[in-house]
Amino acid sequence: MTDGSHFSGRYRPGLLRLAQPVTAREVAARQEPEIALAAAEARIAWILDHPHMSDWLKTVLRSTAGCDPIALQNDLDMLRHLIMPHVAAQIEIQVAAASIG
């Protein structure tokens, strides 16, 4: 048959794609926003309940409740650009001091 209801031996991208592994990122990208939000909230709840997570992290996570998500995303970007280089420099100084002494 040539109506497309049966495989005719020609390449069909959709069929081949099923056999390829799917990454967690691809699965997350395909999720409905409500499912992704529920998964994120479950991970946050796990952090908040975990006794070995820092008080700083728990305070930050609690403070995000009710925040505008766009403003929060902007703040996170700023923190990443400010804190990561600062922490990297602190670690480098500590490593250098430890290797000298």
Side-chain angles (χ1 to χ4, degrees), residues 78-95:
M78 290 299 295
L79 283 172
R80 183 173 52 87
H81 289 294
L82 297 169
I83 291 178
M84 292 302 294
H86 186 263
V87 169
Q90 287 179 315
I91 291 171
E92 190 173 334
I93 290 169
Q94 289 178 358
V95 168

Side-chain angles (χ1 to χ4, degrees), residues 6-44:
H6 290 77
F7 183 64
S8 63
R10 292 181 301 189
Y11 172 71
R12 292 165 97 182
L15 293 177
L16 183 59
R17 190 169 175 84
L18 293 176
Q20 296 174 345
V22 179
T23 66
R25 184 175 294 204
E26 289 172 327
V27 170
R30 295 179 191 162
Q31 287 180 347
E32 294 292 326
E34 294 83 5
I35 294 171
L37 180 61
E41 289 174 347
R43 289 190 299 269
I44 290 171

Side-chain angles (χ1 to χ4, degrees), residues 63-72:
S63 72
T64 64
C67 289
D68 172 49
I70 294 172
L72 186 55

